[in-house]
Every structure is written in C-alpha cells, then in structure tokens.
C-alpha cells in the first residue's frame, strides 16, 4: 500500500470534515435528543435550586444558634476583647463579636421600643453589661459540645454568665442534619439518573448511525477517526442540552419568583451542571461508538 | 500466499457457522465461494477482513494473523482489502464522490491525490456524470459500481465481494461480474461469495462450495452445471 501523499494535516482536515458532516446529519433527531437532555436537566436544576435555597435557610437558622456570653460589669472594653480572643481560640468557635454597653443599649432600644422607660428609670449612670456574641462551627453544634463549651467559657475570668438555647438546640440540630442527609442522598440519586438519561440518549443517537461506523471500519478508518466525531457530538449535545436546561429553568424560576421568593443557583453550580452534561454526553457517545466498533 | 485459513471454526451459539476450514488463496486468483443461504459465506469473508475472529484455528491475511493482530493494526489490514456488499452500504448522506473518496480520507491521503484518483476512477467506471449525485438517486447497478469504486480506490491487494449481484437483475449482474473479472485481470485478488456460481463463467476462476459451514472443494460446480 502506498504511503505517498499521506500526512497528518490531511488526516486532521478529513477528521474535521467528518465532524461537520456528522453534525449536519439528521437535525430533527438531534433536536429531540437535545430536548430530552434539556428536560432531564430542568428536573435536576429544580432540585439544585431548592437545595440551594434550603441551604441558605439552614445557614441562617444555624447562625441563630449562638451563645451569649455576659461579661462582668467592671470589665473594660480592652479586657473584654481579650476574653473574646481567648474564646475564639477554642475549637469549634466560628466567630466572636464584642457588644459594647452602648451597642447593647442601642439594641435594647431597637428591639424593645416599648420598654425604653426601663432604661430611663435606671438613670444616666446605668450601663447594660458588655457581652460577646458567639457563633459555632457546624461540627460543634451538639448538645454535649455546647454544654462543655459553655462550662469552659463560664470559667474564664471576667465572664459572668454563658447562655444558649438549651431547649430547642438538639431538635434543630437533628432536623438540620436529617435534611442535609436527605438532600445529599437525593442529589446522588438525581446525578446518577441524569447521567444515565444523558448517557443513554446520546448513546442511542450514536448507535442509530451504526451503519456509518460499520462502513468506517471496513474501509480501514483508525479508531480515533471513527470516534472523534462522536465525542464532539457528545460534548456538543451534553453542553447545549444542559445549557438549554439551565435556560428553561431560569425562565421557570423567573415566572415563579412572584409566588415563591427564592434565589437562582450560583454561577459555580451552573458551571458544574454544564460540565456534568458535557462529561456524560461524551461518555455516552464513546460507549455508543465503542459498541459498534471492533 | 495471500490468505491462509487453518483449522478454522466459528460458532454463533450452539452450531458452528464454519468448521474445519483449511484453505489458501493465492495472489491474483479469482475465487468463487458458493453455497446455500446460511452456509457461512458471509462469515468466511468476515473472517478474512477480521470483522470476527475464529474460535479456534487462525486466519492469516497479508502477514497479519488473526490470533496475533492488535486492534490498532486492524485499520492497516483493512486498507489492503476492498469490500463490496450485497446491500451496497453507501453513506446515503454523502455524494458519490465522497463515498468513493472515503477510504482515502480515513487514511490521511492528501486532498489533491484524493481528487485525482477519485475523478479518474469514476471516469473509468463510467460514473463521472454521477459524481455529485446521492446514492438514492442512482439505480441499483450504479450504486453497486460506486461501492466497487470505493472498494478499489485505495488500490487494495484483495477485493471481497459478498453476493455483489444479490440485489441486481441478470443483465446488470453480468456487468458487475464482468467488472470484477476485469479488476482481477488488473492484478487484484478477488473473492466473490454467491449462492449462484453460474454467474461466473467456468474456467474464469476457482470454485469452492460451502455446505453448512464446511468446504467441499470444486466438484459441486460440475454437479450444479449438470442440474441446470
Ligand atoms: N451475527 C450472527 N449471530 C448469530 N448467528 C449468525 C450471525 N451471523 C451469521 N450467523 C449464522 O451463521 C450461519 C452462517 O451465516 P452466513 O451469514 O455466513 O451465511 P451466508 O452463507 O452468507 O448466507 P446468505 O446467503 O443468506 O447470505 C447462519 O446459520 C447464520 O444464522
Ligand atoms: Mg451472506
């Protein structure tokens, strides 16, 4: 067999031609495949938006689970901050916020406007005690850790009292943990099923062209020459499919925003969604061409 | 020896489609393999282009042995072989020109070379006026000639024709067989599978008969001739 006139450039040019021919083939069938992929992603995206919003609600709830540490009256702001630094170095503490007597008074007036007379009665010399608002890391939010921390903090010099929601805390933590687990479980199920839907849809659209693959084999096309067009197709279908899915979900979200206040998912999640589409599409296309090529 | 088959056996399910096949194909010959439907003709040709591998025994084609060939060597082997099918197997979304050019394009042949070779081959096969047509616009005979052109464009050493006249009327069938004989006179080894060996004039080739997966040699040819 003569090898004259053979060259990488010619090879690449033929492969590119093959890709464009492939993409022009049966636009109707491709549209249906795209629609399938897009619809599957609408379901997935809806789940993502719900869990994204659930996540921020839970974050807010968790931030309410804090501890209030009242300092002794004779503590100066400087000493108060030292106590604060000491506490923030304890394991499981997310943040410590120093509330000065002035701030405490402002807060009191803002939150209980009807009872400001109480402050006035105490006279101008009266000051509310300074306090520290403490937020915890998620892993520190258990009944045992909280009571342990409150004991430790209560023993620190200058601290008068450490108060936290002993009664509602365990229930809240259990609920939050359960919801998280459910969301992760559902997420795994959905990621797997969406991967399967995209995989099988794209694979089917490739297998439908098994005649082409067979002819390519018999005329001696190298494996990559046969598969590259399908991989490009898979990436294309997966990416445009998931992008269309995102667009559809965005429209849906916009329409529903009046009825249910919510936020759309963050940009990083959208990127991941499109990546998921591209990867599953590629794997599907590869599997489809592999099945027909030997 | 261009093709050697030794102790070849291949089963699909319980019954062997081919069994105890020992045979050789010499360079330049015209071999006719006949046999009833289901006798194993297509399977035998598949083994030659290594679309399948035997369960036992081996097939050796142009230095490649079925039990030793690597996956990535298969394209090299197949570029030495041209294949023609009963159902033509043209790409119906591509023109005659593109169909014929395919074997050259998948081997990275330069565009100028592709143009030159395809155009001259189409002219020789009397298909020049059809180069921009699509397969469905052609008659069966024309489609089969396009398929033969595609099989020949890369100058293979071996041409496999599986029931090439199966979908054609007698007149066109004669033309196709004549074309294959002419290709053979040009030096290409031709293996033609057919259920009707009388399509090839006696003396123009070697005749083998497949009987339910077993080769029976040439004597069957004379029997068939006497039957008619
Ligand atoms: N892919 C396959 N799977 C299962 N059985 C097969 C397969 N290919 C062929 N066979 C069986 O192998 C035997 C030989 O088939 P083959 O196609 O080689 O016959 P043939 O001589 O070409 O017949 P025809 O003249 O009808 O084309 C048949 O019994 C057929 O049913
Ligand atoms: Mg057959």
């Amino acid at each position: 067999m003569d090898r004259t006139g053979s060259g990488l450039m010619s090879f690449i040019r033929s492969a590119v031609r093959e890709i464009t021919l492939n993409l022009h083939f049966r636009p109707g069938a491709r549209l249906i495949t795209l629609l399938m992929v897009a619809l599957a992603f609408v379901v997935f995206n809806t789940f993502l938006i719900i869990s994204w919003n659930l996540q921020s609600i839970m974050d807010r709830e968790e931030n309410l689970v804090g501890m209030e540490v009242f300092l002794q009256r004779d503590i100066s702001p400087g000493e108060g901050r030292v106590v604060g630094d000491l506490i923030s170095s304890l394991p499981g503490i997310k943040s410590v916020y120093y509330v000065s007597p002035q701030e405490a008074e402002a807060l009191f007036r803002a939150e209980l406007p009807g009872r400001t007379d109480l402050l006035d009665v105490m006279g101008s010399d009266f000051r509310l005690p300074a306090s520290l608002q403490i937020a915890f890391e998620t892993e520190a939010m258990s009944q045992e850790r909280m009571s342990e921390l409150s004991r430790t903090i209560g023993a620190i010099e200058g601290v008068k009292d450490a108060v936290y929601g002993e009664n509602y805390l365990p229930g809240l933590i259990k609920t939050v943990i359960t919801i998280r687990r459910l969301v992760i479980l559902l997420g795994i199920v959905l990621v797997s099923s969406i991967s399967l839907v995209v995989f099988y849809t794209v694979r089917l659209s490739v297998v439908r062209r098994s005649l082409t693959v067979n002819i390519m084999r018999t005329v001696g096309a190298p494996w990559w020459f046969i598969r590259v067009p399908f991989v490009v197709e898979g990436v294309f279908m997966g990416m445009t499919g998931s992008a269309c899915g995102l667009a559809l979900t965005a429209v849906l979200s916009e329409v529903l925003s009046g009825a249910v206040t919510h936020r759309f998912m963050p940009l990083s999640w959208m990127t991941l969604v499109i990546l998921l589409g591209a990867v599953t599409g590629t794997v599907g296309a590869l599997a489809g061409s592999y099945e027909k090529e030997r | 020896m261009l093709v050697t088959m030794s102790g070849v056996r291949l089963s699909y399910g319980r019954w062997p489609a081919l069994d105890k096949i020992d045979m050789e194909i010499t360079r330049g010959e015209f071999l006719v393999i006949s046999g009833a439907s289901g006798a194993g003709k297509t399977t035998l040709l598949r083994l030659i282009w290594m679309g399948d591998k035997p369960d036992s025994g081996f097939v050796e084609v142009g230095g490649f042995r079925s039990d030793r060939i690597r996956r990535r060597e298969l394209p090299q082997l197949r570029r030495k072989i041209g294949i023609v099918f009963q159902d033509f197997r043209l790409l119906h979304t591509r023109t005659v020109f593109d169909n014929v050019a395919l074997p050259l394009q998948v081997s990275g042949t330069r565009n100028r070379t592709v143009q030159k070779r395809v155009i001259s081959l189409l002219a020789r096969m009397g298909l020049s006026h059809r180069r921009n047509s699509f397969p469905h616009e052609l008659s069966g005979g024309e489609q089969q000639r396009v398929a033969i052109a595609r099989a020949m464009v890369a100058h293979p050493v071996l041409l496999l024709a599986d029931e090439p006249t199966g979908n054609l009327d007698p007149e066109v069938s004669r033309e196709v067989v004549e074309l294959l004989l002419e290709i053979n006179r040009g030096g290409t080894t031709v293996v033609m599978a057919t259920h009707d060996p009388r399509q090839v004039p006696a003396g123009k080739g070697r005749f083998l008969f497949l009987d339910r997966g077993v080769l029976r040699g040439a004597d069957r040819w004379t029997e068939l001739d006497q039957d008619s």
Side-chain angles (χ1 to χ4, degrees), chain A residues 17-18 33 47 60 96 102 111-112 114 116 121 139 161 167 187 201-202 215 217-218 231 242 246-247 252 262 285:
Chain A
R17 226 177 76 89
E18 206 55 46
T33 308
F47 160 78
R60 223 176 305 140
V96 176
Q102 292 76 17
E111 281 174 16
L112 299 167
T116 49
V121 162
E139 62 268 21
D161 207 359
N167 298 326
T201 315
V202 173
I215 291 170
R217 277 173 71 198
T218 54
V231 171
S242 54
L246 270 178
L252 215 65
H262 65 277

Side-chain angles (χ1 to χ4, degrees), chain A residues 18-38 201-202 204-209 229-238 240-241 244 285, chain B residues 93:
Chain A
E18 206 55 46
I19 290 164
T20 42
L21 273 174
N22 192 39
L23 287 180
H24 282 117
F25 179 66
R26 286 174 71 160
R30 174 160 300 106
L31 210 65
I32 288 171
T33 308
L34 272 183
L35 202 68
M36 284 284 295
V37 173
T201 315
V202 173
L204 196 70
S205 82
V206 168
V207 168
R208 241 191 262 124
R209 272 164 296 159
F230 290 120
V231 171
V232 171
E233 160 135 25
V235 174
F236 174 82
M237 298 283 240
T240 36
C244 288
Chain B
T93 53

Side-chain angles (χ1 to χ4, degrees), chain B residues 36-43 45 86 162-163 193:
Chain B
S37 181
K41 306 180 291 293
T42 299
T43 309
L45 295 193
Q86 174 177 354
D162 188 1
E163 209 87 56

Side-chain angles (χ1 to χ4, degrees), chain A residues 1-2 5-7 10-11 14 17-18 21 25 212 215-222 225 227 290 293-294, chain B residues 49 51-52 71 74-75 78-79 83 89 91 93-94 98 102-103 105-111 117 150 154:
Chain A
M1 168 98 207
D2 66 332
S6 235
S10 316
F11 236 142
S14 305
R17 226 177 76 89
E18 206 55 46
L21 273 174
F25 179 66
T212 309
I215 291 170
M216 289 288 180
R217 277 173 71 198
T218 54
V219 298
F225 194 95
R227 287 203 206 137
Y290 188 82
E293 192 259 349
R294 258 168 36 142
Chain B
W49 61 271
D52 251 322
R71 260 177 85 93
L74 285 172
R78 289 174 190 160
R79 281 175 211 162
I83 314 176
R89 305 217 185 153
L91 291 170
T93 53
R94 300 184 198 197
D98 282 335
L102 196 65
Q105 280 163 348
V106 303
S107 63
T109 310
R110 258 188 250 292
N111 212 358
R117 275 216 216 160
R150 180 182 66 193

Side-chain angles (χ1 to χ4, degrees), chain B residues 11-13 15-18 35-44 46 52 86 162-163 193-195 210:
Chain B
S11 310
Y12 293 115
W15 303 105
L18 289 175
S37 181
K41 306 180 291 293
T42 299
T43 309
L44 191 83
R46 274 180 74 80
D52 251 322
Q86 174 177 354
D162 188 1
E163 209 87 56
T194 175
H195 61 272
L210 259 179

Side-chain angles (χ1 to χ4, degrees), chain B residues 8-9 16-22 33-36 38-41 44 208-217 220:
Chain B
V8 166
R9 182 192 165 94
L18 289 175
D19 200 9
K20 304 189 196 92
I21 305 286
D22 289 292
I33 295 171
S34 60
K41 306 180 291 293
L44 191 83
L208 288 177
F209 183 77
L210 259 179
D211 182 15
R212 276 162 292 172
V214 182
L215 272 180
R216 297 284 184 214
R220 179 76 187 180

